[in-house]
Amino acid sequence: MLRTTTGLLSRLSVNESKTTSSALGLEFVRWRRKPRWLPVAKSKLYRVPERKEQNADERAELMRLHNNYKLQMRSIRQYLREEVLRLNVTTTADHIVLTPEQEEAEFQRCMQENEVWNQAIAAERNARLQKDRERQAGEIRERLDAARLREEERLERAEEIVRREKELAKTYVTRENLDTAIEQALANPVDYNFSLDLKGNIYRGRTTLPGGKGTPATSGAQEGELQQAVEARN
């Protein structure tokens, strides 16, 4: 009973110390064993532990297992060492046994093989460049033909305009035929006024009236042609 009460009090004191120290940011640790930096206790300072005697059969078996392990490890290390030496010799044997004459012959062989590769690559490059040149030449010819066609069309349009203007120049009023043009205009007056009825009939003239003085000049079906004629006359 006393021991139980003592343990409960110790736990309560520890919890209270933790609760109290939490406000200060501190926490006390109770070591279950002695820290390593403390010296040996005085009661155990001169105590020498008794060495247990080992059975002879057990000792012989342990020695046998230990010797077998050491022997196996030495064998593995020796095998790996020999394997590494064998690999180094086989990978560098060609460079070690070659004489200067053999090295020169190998170098010349490599140079000849490299020259063959260079010639093959140069042939492929020349063929590719030739194809590119032919393609570019074809594109240039197509562009030149298209430009020539455009220039010919432009010249044809210009010639048509010049020809039309020459035809129209014959009807121009100049200083020489000014009097004649005035006399013709006075003798032939032109009235561009017209009127329409609900049926689309056109009545030419300023004084022409539907159902009265004057007659329809044309029907609504010919209105577009008359309009084009008026515009051409203007």
Side-chain angles (χ1 to χ4, degrees):
M1 183 67 181
L2 181 59
R3 183 176 300 172
T4 305
T5 306
T6 305
L8 179 61
L9 290 175
S10 63
R11 285 196 298 273
L12 290 175
S13 62
V14 170
N15 293 333
E16 290 177 357
S17 65
K18 288 183 178 180
T19 305
T20 306
S21 62
S22 62
L24 301 176
L26 300 176
E27 184 176 355
F28 295 95
V29 180
R30 184 172 181 180
W31 296 91
R32 294 183 180 273
R33 298 182 62 181
K34 184 179 67 174
R36 298 182 62 181
W37 57 82
L38 294 180
V40 182
K42 293 181 180 181
S43 60
K44 300 178 181 180
L45 184 61
Y46 299 105
R47 184 176 65 85
V48 180
E50 182 180 359
R51 186 184 184 94
K52 295 182 180 181
E53 295 182 0
Q54 193 175 14
N55 190 3
D57 297 336
E58 182 179 359
R59 180 179 178 82
E61 181 66 18
L62 291 176
M63 289 299 295
R64 185 185 67 81
L65 295 176
H66 180 73
N67 293 334
N68 291 338
Y69 172 76
K70 289 292 186 181
L71 179 61
Q72 292 172 1
M73 293 301 296
R74 283 197 300 270
S75 301
I76 293 173
R77 284 196 294 270
Q78 183 65 23
Y79 172 76
L80 294 177
R81 187 181 299 108
E82 293 176 357
E83 186 69 17
V84 170
L85 291 175
R86 185 182 64 80
L87 292 176
N88 292 334
V89 171
T90 53
T91 53
T92 59
D94 297 338
H95 302 285
I96 293 175
V97 299
L98 288 180
T99 61
E101 292 78 7
Q102 293 175 345
E103 289 182 357
E104 183 65 23
E106 180 67 18
F107 178 75
Q108 294 298 330
R109 186 188 66 79
C110 293
M111 289 294 294
Q112 293 177 0
E113 187 173 0
N114 189 18
E115 186 66 23
V116 172
W117 290 350
N118 291 336
Q119 292 177 0
I121 294 173
E124 294 178 359
R125 182 174 60 251
N126 294 331
R128 186 180 67 255
L129 293 177
Q130 182 65 25
K131 291 182 180 179
D132 293 340
R133 285 192 293 268
E134 292 177 357
R135 178 179 55 80
Q136 293 177 0
E139 293 178 355
I140 292 172
R141 284 193 297 269
E142 291 178 357
R143 288 198 295 266
L144 291 175
D145 294 340
R148 187 179 66 257
L149 292 176
R150 289 195 299 270
E151 183 66 19
E152 291 177 357
E153 292 176 357
R154 188 184 67 82
L155 292 176
E156 290 178 359
R157 290 195 301 269
E159 291 177 358
E160 181 65 25
I161 293 172
V162 171
R163 187 165 50 252
R164 187 171 60 250
E165 292 296 331
K166 287 182 178 179
E167 293 294 333
L168 292 176
K170 297 177 181 180
T171 61
Y172 291 168
V173 178
T174 59
R175 185 182 297 273
E176 288 77 9
N177 59 1
L178 179 59
D179 297 335
T180 305
I182 292 174
E183 292 177 358
Q184 290 180 358
L186 293 176
N188 301 311
V190 179
D191 190 1
Y192 296 101
N193 297 305
F194 63 92
S195 59
L196 296 173
D197 58 6
L198 296 178
K199 296 181 180 180
N201 297 322
I202 299 176
Y203 298 90
R204 298 293 180 181
R206 184 184 299 272
T207 60
T208 304
L209 298 176
K213 185 180 180 180
T215 57
T218 182
S219 62
Q222 298 177 351
E223 179 182 358
E225 297 178 358
L226 293 175
Q227 186 68 23
Q228 293 178 0
V230 172
E231 292 178 355
R233 185 181 298 176
N234 292 335

